[in-house]
């Protein structure tokens, strides 16, 4: 359905050679590449409209402000948020989660309270909550996974008690690819009166997000994983919660009035946007969303799944001692694997020599690695511009590398 050869023309980086071989970029889970039209928005932001937002009456400042605010309205529609005031721009998913942990957690969590995370969380959905533990004696309870990488929903339900105050889980795992039943997770938490944050970093590039359908209280994602620029992310929060939360950082943009005696804060969303934002990156995120929607997120996902199924089948059939971590039905196009006892780092290094970019290590998910009983894994992950030919190059390289190591 998609013309992948045409799509690839928008990514000059894909023509690069690595060790004199064509680059096969399969590290899309870490960050995806950026198409020409998004890069052009960044260039235009610096060469045609650069002026600080919200403070000027001059034309350039008003243009820059309009670019930023129209991006906010675009994000609102992209995730079907009820209003643009509930869209807060951050540096990324990490900052969005830190904002909620520090502001909501700092204000409302007390000694003896419990929060629920899952074992498949990225460190950025673990450590911000642990920082909170320095201020209050908060217990972190952990949802385990089943053998195929699905969350154990019975165990999840059993974690609730009268002390449970918050749930924070990923929509999709950056290692297992598992897509969690976030709507059900939220419904269960709400039946206990508990709010939920959904870390959508891995979902936003592949899955149509509807925060009202999920009924998420908070939803976070990063632009750089969805064909957009680095350094920009989004936090959606329900208005009722954002209104009662204290500011996360202080500074310009987030105030209504300041005196040494008393400072009052700006309305939403600016209360949570201290300092000059990356307004050029935010405008480029607008273009990245247009790009995804023009291609159709379902078409992107269908293409990625075709590559996932093809590659997974051949890896399993052809490579002796192949172990794939995460086989949940409907998973995202992510393959985490090990071959026999070979070290993930050696495999990654040798694959790189053959032009294949995969990621190795713990993938910022050390608790998950412990649960899987491994130190690290190799991860190949797909985006819209990857091709069947690239999968073949990857598989050939994998044959060579695993034979060599054996
Ligand atoms: N959560 C998940 C599931 C992720 O995969 C990542 C990025 N690897 C993050 C959070 C953090 O995103 P960022 O580094 O863009 O803040």
């Amino acid at each position: 359905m998609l013309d992948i050869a045409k799509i690839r023309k928008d990514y000059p980086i894909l023509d690069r050679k690595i060790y004199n071989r064509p680059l096969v970029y399969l590290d899309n889970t870490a960050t995806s590449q950026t198409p020409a039209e998004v890069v052009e928005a960044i260039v235009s932001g610096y060469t045609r409209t650069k002026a600080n937002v919200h403070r000027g009456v001059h034309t350039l400042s008003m243009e820059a402000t309009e670019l930023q605010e129209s991006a906010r309205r675009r994000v609102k529609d992209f995730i079907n948020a009820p209003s643009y005031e509930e869209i807060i721009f951050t540096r990324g998913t990490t900052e969005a989660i830190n904002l909620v942990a520090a502001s909501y957690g700092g204000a409302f969590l007390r000694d003896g309270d419990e929060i629920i995370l899952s074992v498949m969380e990225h460190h950025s959905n673990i450590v911000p909550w642990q920082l909170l533990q320095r201020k209050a004696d908060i217990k972190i309870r952990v949802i385990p996974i089943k053998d195929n990488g699905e969350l154990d929903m019975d165990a999840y339900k059993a974690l609730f008690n009268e002390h449970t105050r918050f749930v924070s889980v990923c929509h999709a795992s950056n290692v297992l690819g598992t897509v969690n039943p976030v709507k059900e997770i939220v419904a269960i938490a709400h039946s206990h009166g508990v709010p939920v944050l959904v870390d959508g970093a891995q979902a936003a590039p592949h899955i149509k997000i509807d925060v009202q359908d999920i009924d998420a209280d908070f939803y976070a994602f990063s632009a750089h994983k969805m064909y957009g620029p680095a350094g920009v992310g989004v936090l959606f929060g329900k208005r009722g919660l954002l209104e009662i939360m204290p500011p996360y950082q202080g500074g310009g943009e987030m105030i209504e009035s300041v005196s040494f005696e008393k400072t009052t804060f700006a309305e939403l969303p600016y209360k949570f946007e201290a300092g000059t934002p990356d307004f050029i990156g935010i405008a480029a995120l607008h273009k990245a969303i247009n790009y995804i929607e023009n291609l159709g997120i379902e078409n992107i996902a269908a293409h990625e799944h075709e590559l996932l199924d093809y590659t997974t089948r051949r890896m399993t059939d052809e490579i002796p001692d192949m172990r794939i971590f995460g086989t949940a039905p409907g998973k995202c196009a992510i393959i985490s694997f090990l071959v026999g006892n070979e070290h993930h780092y050696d495999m990654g290094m040798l694959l790189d020599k053959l032009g294949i970019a995969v990621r190795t290590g713990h993938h910022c998910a050390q608790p998950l690695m412990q649960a899987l009983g491994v130190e690290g894994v190799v991860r190949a992950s797909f985006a819209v511009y990857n091709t069947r030919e690239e999968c073949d190059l990857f598989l050939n390289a994998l044959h060579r590398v695993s034979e060599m190591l054996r």
Side-chain angles (χ1 to χ4, degrees), residues 105-114 136-139 165:
F108 303 117
L109 298 185
R110 302 268 176 273
D111 288 348
D113 286 349
E114 296 185 4
D137 185 15
I138 294 159
K139 188 167 176 192
R165 295 285 177 269

Side-chain angles (χ1 to χ4, degrees), residues 27-44:
D27 193 17
N28 296 288
T29 298
T31 197
S32 58
Q33 299 301 337
T34 306
E37 61 199 76
V38 177
V39 176
E40 273 159 26
I42 297 169
V43 172
S44 160

Side-chain angles (χ1 to χ4, degrees), residues 4 14 39 51 57 86 90 92 112 127 164 184 196 216 218 223 229 247 268 306 332 342-343 353 367 385 387:
I4 305 300
L14 298 178
V39 176
V57 292
E86 294 167 298
T90 65
V127 183
T164 313
E184 192 187 340
V196 182
F218 300 99
L268 292 174
E306 212 179 290
C332 283
E342 302 316 334
H343 200 275
K353 299 277 185 293
Y385 39 71
T387 62

Side-chain angles (χ1 to χ4, degrees), residues 294-315:
N294 287 341
L295 294 179
I297 198 157
E298 293 84 4
N299 298 333
I300 295 174
H303 172 69
E304 292 167 348
H305 275 110
E306 212 179 290
L307 302 180
L308 171 74
D309 294 344
Y310 172 74
T311 311
T312 306
R313 186 168 34 78
R314 283 197 51 198
M315 282 167 78

Side-chain angles (χ1 to χ4, degrees), residues 29-30 92-95 122 124 170 172 174 199 201-202 222 224-225:
T29 298
T93 307
T94 302
E95 190 179 45
H122 189 276
S124 63
C170 59
N174 66 317
D199 166 358
Q202 293 303 337
S222 301
H224 70 94
K225 294 185 195 285

Side-chain angles (χ1 to χ4, degrees), residues 180-213:
N180 290 321
V182 282
K183 191 171 169 175
E184 192 187 340
I185 289 171
V186 170
I188 291 165
H190 285 178
S191 74
H192 294 273
V194 172
V196 182
L197 182 151
V198 178
D199 166 358
Q202 293 303 337
H206 315 285
I207 300 169
K208 174 80 195 114
I209 294 158
D210 184 334
V211 291
Q212 293 190 68
D213 181 54

